[in-house]
């Protein structure tokens, strides 16, 4: 099972990815966690990434892909994985698709993606619920204005990504505005029916 988890900040992606990762015994791969781990371990890719982060710049797609690929080649990821936080744009998704084809997960260039062992899961939650959830976390940098800005950026970058996977018949949309257990059950049902 190869899953990409998408959803706005506060939708519960990380929580659901961790629950399903434990349930299905496949790794939950968070690109943010990988980047931090590479930097801490001072790997060659980590040092390259650090140089961008030190300058306050985004890590380029190619470098991010190399880091994701390195992680996906580890033995625990052979049976599948849940990817959280990547891809974030259509350009990254197209780049990622090429990588998946190389490692035998991709659709072999199939435009429909039907023969591709990949599902993109979108946790859909209304903005007013997301704002309330994020404000309740009580993080210092989380005020309503910054939260709404982050949601706007997410929508601008990720709405086209949702269409990208919908057009390829790889999208699984789940209502994330429910109790955590209910969302988990809905995900299990939606995804086990596909595999």
């Amino acid at each position: 099972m190869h899953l990409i988890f998408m959803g706005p900040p506060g939708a519960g992606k990380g929580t659901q990815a961790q629950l399903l990762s434990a349930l299905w015994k496949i790794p939950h791969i968070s690109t943010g966690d990988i980047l931090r781990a590479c930097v801490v371990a001072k790997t060659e890719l980590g040092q390259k990434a650090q140089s961008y982060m030190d300058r306050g710049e985004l890590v380029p797609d190619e470098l991010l892909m190399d880091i994701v690929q390195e992680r996906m080649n580890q033995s625990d990821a052979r049976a599948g994985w849940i990817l959280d936080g990547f891809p974030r744009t259509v350009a990254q998704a197209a780049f990622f698709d090429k990588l998946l084809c190389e490692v035998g997960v991709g659709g072999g260039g199939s435009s429909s993606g039907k023969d591709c062992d990949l599902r993109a899961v979108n946790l859909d939650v209304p903005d007013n619920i997301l704002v309330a959830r994020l404000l309740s976390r009580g993080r210092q940098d989380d005020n309503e204005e910054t939260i709404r800005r982050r949601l706007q950026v997410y929508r601008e970058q990720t709405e086209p990504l949702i269409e990208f996977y919908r057009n390829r018949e790889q999208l699984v949309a789940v209502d994330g505005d429910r109790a955590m257990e209910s969302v988990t059950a809905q995900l299990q049902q939606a995804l086990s029916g596909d595999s």
Side-chain angles (χ1 to χ4, degrees), residues 75-91:
S75 59
D76 68 334
R78 289 202 184 115
W81 35 257
I82 298 173
L83 194 55
D84 172 8
F86 187 88
R88 288 182 184 225
T89 63
V90 170

Side-chain angles (χ1 to χ4, degrees), residues 15-170:
T15 302
Q16 293 298 336
Q18 285 173 342
L19 288 167
L20 294 177
S21 164
L23 200 66
W24 291 331
K25 296 179 179 35
I26 57 175
H28 167 214
I29 301 174
S30 158
T31 47
D33 291 349
I34 299 172
L35 270 176
R36 286 185 285 278
C38 286
V39 169
V40 169
K42 295 189 177 355
T43 66
E44 184 184 340
L45 291 173
Q47 289 174 335
K48 284 182 186 172
Q50 180 76 57
S51 68
Y52 286 96
M53 288 157 38
D54 286 347
R55 294 193 301 265
E57 296 175 16
L58 289 174
V59 176
D61 285 358
E62 290 79 6
L63 182 55
L64 205 50
M65 285 304 311
D66 288 344
I67 289 170
V68 169
Q69 182 172 12
E70 188 176 80
R71 176 61 186 92
M72 291 165 101
N73 285 334
Q74 292 174 13
S75 59
D76 68 334
R78 289 202 184 115
W81 35 257
I82 298 173
L83 194 55
D84 172 8
F86 187 88
R88 288 182 184 225
T89 63
V90 170
Q92 287 179 351
F95 203 76
F96 187 54
D97 198 47
K98 286 184 191 144
L99 166 69
L100 292 178
C101 288
E102 286 168 23
V103 297
V105 173
S110 160
S111 61
S112 74
K114 278 189 177 173
D115 48 357
C116 182
D117 177 24
L118 177 74
R119 292 285 174 267
V121 177
N122 184 46
L123 290 176
D124 199 29
V125 182
D127 280 5
N128 60 329
I129 302 293
L130 295 168
V131 171
R133 281 185 189 176
L134 292 168
L135 284 173
S136 70
R137 287 182 185 176
R139 292 185 186 160
Q140 283 184 325
D141 60 339
D142 278 353
N143 62 50
E144 187 164 346
E145 189 182 339
T146 44
I147 289 169
R148 290 203 180 273
R149 175 69 192 128
R150 280 169 55 207
L151 291 174
Q152 182 186 348
V153 168
Y154 171 81
R155 300 270 183 233
E156 287 166 3
Q157 289 184 346
T158 313
E159 290 293 328
L161 196 57
I162 292 167
E163 285 306 310
F164 176 85
Y165 287 113
R166 180 178 287 128
N167 291 340
R168 297 165 63 93
E169 298 177 20
Q170 292 173 303

